[in-house]
Amino acid sequence: MVNYKELGLVNTRDMFARAIKGGYAIPAFNFNNMEQLQAIIKAAVETKSPVILQVSKGARNYANQTLLRYMAEGAVEYAKELGCAHPEIVLHLDHGDSFELCKSCIDMGFSSVMIDGSHLPYEENVALTKKVVDYAHQFDVTVEGELGVLAGVEDEVSAEHHTYTNPEEVIDFATRTGCDSLAISIGTSHGAYKFKPEQCHVDPATGRLVPPPLEFAVLDAVMEKLPGFPIVLHGSSSVPQEEVDTINKFGGKLEAAIGIPEEQLRKAAKSAVCKINIDSDSRLAMTAAIRKVFAEKPAEFDPRKYLGPARDNMEKLYKHKIINVLGSENKLAQC
């Protein structure tokens, strides 16, 4: 058993309470490798922002659970080395699909876990979430539950259609499970292809697809039922079109890739939405930089020469999200 506090990590409880009060959201960035982790930590330190390092089941298998433990501990020490004496870093399991996976992550030093029972019948979702909460809270690990289903594909998580969260269920769910935060469905979607072209309209000025707006009425109804309760948005990448254009320019084939407009995420961040998940944008920034190097320097084979620019491009993206979308810069309790 490795307690997250031994690694210098924190859970989400205090940072979420401050975010709701302050009208901003904590960045929850998924990562799979060292370059992504370096970029996240550099961006968080330079902007003085709390940060959530998210790991999906697939990413955990890819990186190895033992290495992840030491990467998380290293991330804390790296932040201190960069000049942040009191970093606020969470290691969070994204879309845990079983009690056993959540328990394993908690036992290996995760400070927060998500149990996603949204695909189950309601009572089964409640029972599974409560089981995870009961175990996690013994070790002061925070738990995120989910109501509603997001469309799209992300690692092992996929759904053809979304189902909006039913506001009438949230009080019962939060009370009976004891979860610390709740992921809801208001129209965000997983992956880089969040909407089908027929769901969008074309901006006559740019010729680009514009997605349908988020259902803020559902969010408002949830907040009315659960005032001050931490709300989470998954599938909130904006799919920057400049990165898509770079990928396509240098041999990629991303057609009709579209995300959530950043102005809608800024609006959400000012509400009880205190955690916003971003994954695909990082993948796009990394891929765009690598494709550019390969196209312009076809003889290059040193991984540092293409992963370095990829890391820099991701850091730029993370800083932009923190400062211009989430508003979490300069929000560390102690610097």
Side-chain angles (χ1 to χ4, degrees):
M1 176 77 190
V2 180
N3 189 282
Y4 69 88
K5 295 174 184 177
E6 300 170 20
L7 308 181
L9 300 167
V10 300
N11 66 26
T12 61
R13 194 170 291 115
D14 181 58
M15 64 170 62
F16 281 0
R18 299 198 324 263
I20 293 173
K21 185 177 180 180
Y24 60 91
I26 306 295
F29 297 131
N30 287 69
F31 79 100
N32 303 271
N33 60 22
M34 183 185 73
E35 286 75 19
Q36 286 179 305
L37 183 60
Q38 288 175 314
I40 292 169
I41 297 303
K42 283 192 70 178
V45 169
E46 291 184 21
T47 59
K48 299 179 181 178
S49 171
V51 70
I52 296 171
L53 303 174
Q54 290 202 151
V55 180
S56 66
K57 178 181 177 180
R60 187 172 185 247
N61 291 337
Y62 177 83
N64 177 268
Q65 63 176 9
T66 302
L67 281 175
L68 271 176
R69 169 208 166 167
Y70 290 101
M71 289 175 78
E73 186 174 18
V76 174
E77 295 306 314
Y78 182 41
K80 292 178 180 178
E81 181 183 305
L82 291 173
C84 182
H86 304 283
E88 294 181 30
I89 299 173
V90 173
L91 181 62
H92 174 77
L93 171 66
D94 190 23
H95 286 290
D97 59 1
S98 68
F99 170 79
E100 291 73 22
L101 175 60
C102 291
K103 180 181 182 300
S104 177
C105 287
I106 292 166
D107 293 347
M108 288 295 289
F110 279 61
S111 57
S112 176
V113 294
M114 179 201 185
I115 179 63
D116 182 1
S118 60
H119 59 288
L120 299 171
Y122 179 76
E123 288 297 330
E124 292 182 28
N125 187 4
V126 169
L128 177 59
T129 304
K130 185 179 187 304
K131 185 177 181 181
V132 172
V133 168
D134 288 346
Y135 184 77
H137 281 184
Q138 296 178 76
F139 309 102
D140 201 26
V141 171
T142 42
V143 179
E144 175 186 327
E146 180 166 352
L147 275 177
V149 178
L150 272 69
V153 178
E154 180 185 14
D155 288 356
E156 299 85 3
V157 181
S158 64
E160 184 67 25
H161 303 287
H162 69 253
T163 303
Y164 291 134
T165 299
N166 181 357
E168 298 302 320
E169 295 177 339
V170 296
I171 296 177
D172 180 72
F173 186 86
T175 302
R176 290 172 60 192
T177 64
C179 64
D180 301 283
S181 60
L182 183 64
I184 66 171
S185 174
I186 62 169
T188 56
S189 181
H190 290 130
Y193 298 92
K194 298 185 184 298
F195 304 98
K196 296 177 181 179
E198 56 267 27
Q199 295 176 281
C200 309
H201 70 271
V202 177
D203 183 341
T206 64
R208 295 188 186 278
L209 294 176
V210 178
L214 299 180
E215 283 292 336
F216 281 98
V218 174
L219 174 59
D220 291 341
V222 169
M223 291 191 298
E224 183 179 341
K225 298 289 185 181
L226 290 176
F229 194 83
I231 302 300
V232 177
L233 288 188
H234 283 245
S236 296
S237 284
S238 299
V239 187
Q241 292 302 297
E242 63 272 19
E243 305 294 0
V244 173
D245 291 345
T246 298
I247 290 171
N248 290 339
K249 177 182 177 180
F250 294 112
K253 193 173 183 181
L254 292 177
E255 298 176 358
I258 188 168
I260 309 300
E262 290 187 338
E263 61 269 18
Q264 294 193 45
L265 297 176
R266 280 194 291 271
K267 179 180 177 180
K270 294 176 181 178
S271 68
V273 173
C274 58
K275 173 177 178 274
I276 291 181
N277 293 9
I278 297 169
D279 186 1
S280 295
D281 286 354
S282 170
R283 299 182 184 194
L284 292 167
M286 186 173 202
T287 300
I290 291 173
R291 279 193 173 274
K292 186 173 187 294
V293 171
F294 283 167
E296 294 178 348
K297 301 177 181 179
E300 186 57 72
F301 66 95
D302 182 345
R304 294 169 297 181
K305 298 296 178 63
Y306 52 85
L307 292 177
R311 179 182 60 194
D312 294 343
N313 203 33
M314 287 188 290
E315 181 188 346
K316 177 183 174 183
L317 171 84
Y318 295 137
K319 287 180 181 176
H320 165 73
K321 296 293 183 181
I322 289 169
I323 296 170
N324 299 311
V325 181
L326 307 177
S328 63
E329 78 279 14
N330 299 313
K331 295 301 189 297
L332 289 174
Q334 301 180 69
C335 195

